[in-house]
Amino acid sequence: MDVSAARDKYFKETGVYVPVCSDGGIVHDYHMTLALAMGADFLMLGRYFARFEESPTKKFSINGNMVKEYWGEGSNRARNWQRYDLGGDSKLSFEEGVDSYVPYAGYLKDNVSVTLAKIKSTMCNCGALSIKELQQKATLTLVSATSIVEGGAHDVVLKETPQNKNGR
């Protein structure tokens, strides 16, 4: 939010608009809506897309859970000399991304429409028809972990349904 505020101030002062990217860490649908509400103009969604069948990585089972390989852009696996060349003999001395696995999420076509519906629903709940309106109207409230549990289904045993495979 601080970066977006600085961007907006810079725009007012200079007339130059610098788009803000929410880069890294977006895993769940609500992360996208939060990033947009906080002022992001666009999102990097590598980890989100890596979960799907269509991503070019291998799918396999770990402890009975289906996963796909994932590596962040700052990981040693993703590095290349053109992107990270510091000139001379210097080498990048630390790794910024991870080489890991993400839970397999099925096919892209079955998931993207749900993600978009969730984003649109949240925008509607905020009275916003556009991302700009979402950024103006959204109110972010810090809540405790207990509030999240109490605000959802609790003290019940959920039935397993196709939309609720993990008991959520």
Side-chain angles (χ1 to χ4, degrees):
M1 289 187 302
D2 291 342
V3 171
S4 297
R7 180 250 343 257
D8 295 344
K9 180 181 177 200
Y10 183 76
F11 176 66
K12 286 180 184 173
E13 293 171 358
T14 67
V16 176
Y17 187 83
V18 179
V20 171
C21 174
S22 178
D23 185 7
I26 293 179
V27 180
H28 303 291
D29 303 320
Y30 70 89
H31 291 160
M32 295 177 203
T33 309
L34 283 172
L36 293 169
M38 288 189 275
D41 294 289
F42 62 101
L43 315 170
M44 297 296 282
L45 297 173
R47 191 183 325 179
Y48 174 80
F49 286 115
R51 305 170 310 137
F52 298 121
E53 181 71 34
E54 293 83 355
S55 73
T57 60
K58 295 176 186 173
K59 175 179 67 173
F60 50 95
S61 177
I62 295 180
N63 298 326
N65 296 311
M66 294 305 293
V67 297
K68 292 202 74 168
E69 291 181 292
Y70 169 75
W71 54 91
E73 279 302 300
S75 67
N76 282 327
R77 187 174 188 174
R79 288 186 185 167
N80 63 56
W81 66 270
Q82 292 142 332
R83 179 176 292 159
Y84 294 99
D85 184 21
L86 300 176
D89 292 331
S90 297
K91 300 282 185 243
L92 195 57
S93 58
F94 60 93
E95 186 173 14
E96 293 181 85
V98 296
D99 191 348
S100 58
Y101 306 103
V102 291
Y104 175 69
Y107 288 90
L108 184 67
K109 69 177 177 58
D110 298 330
N111 287 275
V112 170
S113 59
V114 172
T115 295
L116 290 173
K118 288 178 180 181
I119 292 169
K120 289 176 184 178
S121 175
T122 303
M123 290 174 65
C124 181
N125 290 338
C126 294
L129 296 174
S130 67
I131 292 171
K132 187 73 172 167
E133 265 191 291
L134 176 67
Q135 292 168 346
Q136 294 165 351
K137 293 181 175 183
T139 300
L140 303 176
T141 305
L142 185 61
V143 296
S144 69
T146 302
S147 295
I148 294 169
V149 171
E150 292 293 322
H154 58 89
D155 300 328
V156 296
V157 177
L158 296 177
K159 295 179 180 179
E160 188 172 316
T161 65
Q163 296 83 19
N164 189 17
K165 294 179 209 163
N166 296 324
R168 294 184 191 152

